[in-house]
Amino acid sequence: MKEFLDLTNKNIHLRTAHSPLVGYWTLELGGLNKTFHIWKYESFAQRTAVRTALANDQAWKEKYLSQMLPMLDKQENEIAYLVPWCELGSSEKDGVYELVTFNMKPGGPAVWGQSFKAAINAHVKTGYTKLIGVFHTEYGNLNRVHVLWWSESPDSRASGRHYAHEDPRVVAAVRESVQFLESQQNCLLVPTAFSPLK
């Protein structure tokens, strides 16, 4: 993993020359030897143009791709959009991130959107963590929502979470939302040295 991250750190500028990087993390809990990253695109046309440009970028292919691919075991991607009621947040200082992935019942936000929003907002109001973004998949596993949170440390996240579970506002909102939930998982993310989100 260290060799991969060193190579990426050395050459990430070749990739960010084509489109902005939102964040790049390693998984600390909920998976091992994995990275997770978010790239911003204004449209599908822009994403296609970036992919074409990267395919023709000799420096990218020679200095990064050719050396990185032998290290790669598996790769997955999704297209997700920031939900309309959430603005992309940022952290003011270093910390850790929690990525919570919710697989919701079919029907999309028209069915579960309001209950899900209420549950997220109830957590936000407790103040124990900072909401960075809520993303709904467009391509990949459908009816999937990723929620990205920032905390000062794993311990502050754990104590805040314990507090939230005793907050009647959070309990009520989660009880309403959970009827639309099929499964969920989470992972603890640590930002890389080159991640814009720290």
Side-chain angles (χ1 to χ4, degrees), residues 37-191:
H37 35 108
I38 302 173
W39 297 87
K40 183 178 179 181
Y41 300 99
E42 298 300 328
S43 65
F44 288 105
Q46 185 211 9
R47 181 180 181 276
T48 299
V50 167
R51 302 274 296 164
T52 300
L54 285 167
N56 294 315
D57 186 328
Q58 289 304 316
W60 170 250
K61 293 191 294 186
E62 292 170 12
K63 293 180 180 180
Y64 186 70
L65 270 188
S66 64
Q67 296 178 53
M68 181 276 296
L69 285 175
M71 301 178 201
L72 188 66
D73 178 56
K74 183 179 178 183
Q75 188 175 16
E76 297 175 15
N77 74 345
E78 292 181 344
I79 299 289
Y81 61 86
L82 192 64
V83 297
W85 48 268
C86 181
E87 293 184 10
L88 186 62
S90 63
S91 58
E92 289 142 19
K93 55 185 175 178
D94 292 354
V96 296
Y97 291 77
E98 180 184 15
L99 179 70
V100 186
T101 300
F102 299 88
N103 293 304
M104 308 301 287
K105 290 185 177 177
V111 173
W112 43 258
Q114 288 304 315
S115 294
F116 188 84
K117 178 181 176 182
I120 296 299
N121 287 337
H123 280 280
V124 168
K125 288 175 184 172
T126 65
Y128 78 88
T129 187
K130 181 174 183 181
L131 179 63
I132 300 298
V134 179
F135 306 88
H136 183 229
T137 56
E138 181 78 17
Y139 285 95
N141 289 322
L142 297 180
N143 297 302
R144 175 177 280 183
V145 182
H146 300 287
V147 182
L148 187 61
W149 301 95
W150 175 90
S151 295
E152 287 188 16
S153 70
D155 288 327
S156 69
R157 178 254 174 218
S159 62
R161 194 86 174 150
H162 178 75
Y163 167 78
H165 287 163
E166 296 177 355
D167 186 315
R169 298 168 300 174
V170 173
V171 172
V174 168
R175 278 189 182 141
E176 174 64 26
S177 179
V178 76
Q179 66 181 313
F180 302 108
L181 182 66
E182 294 209 327
S183 67
Q184 77 182 71
Q185 65 183 47
N186 70 341
C187 54
L188 184 70
L189 306 173
V190 176

